[in-house]
Amino acid sequence: MRRILVVGGGYAGFYTAWNLEKKLRRDEAEIVVVDPRPYMTYQPFLPEVAAGSIEARHAAVALRSHLKRARLIHASVTRIDHASKTVTVAPEDGEPFDLGYDIVVVTAGAVTRTFPIPGVKEHAIGMKHVEEAVAIRDRLLDAFDRASVLPPGPERTRVLTVAFVGGGFSGVEGFGETLSLATALLRQYPELRFSDLSFHLIEARDRILPEVTDGPGRWVVRSLEQRGAHIHLDTQLVSAEGGHLVLSTGEKFDAHTIVWTAGNGANPVVARNTDLPVTSRGSVMVRADLRVGTPEDVVPDAWAAGDDAAVPDLASPIAGAVTVPNAQHAVRQGRLLAKNIVATLRGREPKDYVHHSLGVVATLGLGKGIFQWKGIVITGFLAWVMHRGYHVLAIPTWERKVRVLLVWATAVLFGRDIVSLLSVQHPRRAFVGGEAPRAMHKAVPEAQREPAGSVR
């Protein structure tokens, strides 16, 4: 049988493979999915994972639970050589090997974009994966426990200082949700005051949320500032060495938690390790029908979609525009890509991708949100309800929808679960060092300990 190789199991990859399973006959093609993670992350729920409003596993969809016919390979693709129709696969254990294919689907997604700012790689956490969102939540909960035994002063403020770098959707949503969690936690810690909290959002442009128009963007800034947040616009992070943040405006402060959400970068396997045509930004050149190539020249047996593909936006009035990298497009492109592959296998012509935006909706914390569709803007509680309603419908599989709804219902009755599992990041500490108090962990050999302030 022909082998259809899907590189990446994120939104676009998962929906492509899922729909191929539904539409292809069993003797028509073999489906192979290669991804280093055994699950698809539903990224719009990561801010709520960071705030403890959603159980971490419920923001992920296990590939093996839902892709019944596909062969799943948990490894990274390090090179795509379409001339020979092979990819190089690097598993976590064992030697790299070559894997052949007849049709390739490139849905490797994007990676977190970083800059060579001193201290960022050593102290910051991203928010693109479930593990990162969990680490942010546990780090904040642990900070409250530590601060509650400290006297008022600079050290208590440092422990309760959180800085988000990047004012796009993921940054603003994560910032608003963690600020909401921190404010709610004060009721559980009578030793602490609201003035002990210090939340900073740092954005290099002169506005946040570029996906909405200027008016709603300014409303979000005012709303966050009224809740005690510090919004730094037209400001760049210069240094974060030792957790000491230096801004381009000259402001300086210490932060216990630094979250980096300053956008996505090109996936290295697409940008540098393939013979497929790519743009100057490192995205695969894609036609409107999702085949790799240009309007004049098609690359046979190669398809791409999602964040690593420059898909023409036929719904945009701007000539040459490409679709923005978000969940709306990735999900719909994955579905159409599967249909188009089946169509070409059966001798039919593929269809072009056209999708008109359904609007943008963001959560800013429990009971707070913003929605915009063209000239219609809704803010506050109703927008927050719309955010939850849209995403519970959008997350794939009924099993996940029911689990998320049950967690939300439980939170209404009993509030957020505020147990920190930060120790999970250091599972050998108790085993190697015994059950001694934290101060006695110096007995743990240096090779077994991680540097202070490090986060994996």
Side-chain angles (χ1 to χ4, degrees), residues 180-196:
S180 176
L181 170 60
T183 304
L185 283 173
L186 289 173
R187 293 194 292 268
Q188 310 292 329
Y189 291 84
E191 308 91 340
L192 303 177
R193 302 186 300 272
F194 182 79
S195 59
D196 293 322

Side-chain angles (χ1 to χ4, degrees), residues 384-397:
W384 175 77
V385 172
M386 294 171 68
H387 173 272
R388 285 201 162 184
Y390 171 78
H391 285 299
V392 80
L393 291 173
I395 191 171
T397 79

Side-chain angles (χ1 to χ4, degrees), residues 283-306:
S283 301
V284 182
M285 288 185 180
V286 179
R287 294 159 48 93
D289 58 13
L290 304 180
R291 288 183 289 182
V292 175
T294 64
E296 299 77 25
D297 188 21
V298 178
V299 177
D301 301 323
W303 304 75

Side-chain angles (χ1 to χ4, degrees), residues 1-9 13 17-18 20-21 26 29-35 37 63-64 66-75 87 89 91 97-101:
M1 290 190 295
R2 284 168 290 195
R3 174 179 290 168
I4 301 172
L5 177 64
V6 181
V7 180
W18 201 26
L20 282 173
E21 286 190 345
R26 288 189 174 274
E30 175 194 12
I31 304 166
V32 179
V33 179
V34 183
D35 193 280
R37 286 180 168 80
L63 299 181
R64 290 190 181 274
H66 302 287
L67 299 180
K68 302 296 186 181
R69 290 172 50 192
R71 175 189 171 193
L72 302 177
I73 300 176
H74 299 305
V87 298
V89 179
F97 59 90
D98 290 338
L99 180 66
Y101 61 82

Side-chain angles (χ1 to χ4, degrees), residues 81 96 151 237 318:
D81 186 353
L237 178 64
I318 302 173

Side-chain angles (χ1 to χ4, degrees), residues 317-377:
I318 302 173
V322 296
T323 58
V324 297
N326 63 21
Q328 273 191 48
H329 287 300
V331 169
R332 287 162 178 79
Q333 287 169 11
R335 289 170 176 162
L336 178 64
L337 202 159
K339 292 179 182 179
N340 281 351
I341 290 177
V342 173
T344 56
L345 289 176
R346 296 174 182 174
R348 302 194 302 269
E349 287 298 312
K351 295 182 179 179
D352 287 347
Y353 175 76
V354 184
H355 172 63
H356 295 273
S357 174
L358 302 176
V360 292
V361 61
T363 175
L364 303 174
L366 199 61
K368 303 173 180 66
I370 184 168
F371 166 82
Q372 182 175 18
W373 181 71
K374 297 183 178 180
I376 300 173
V377 179

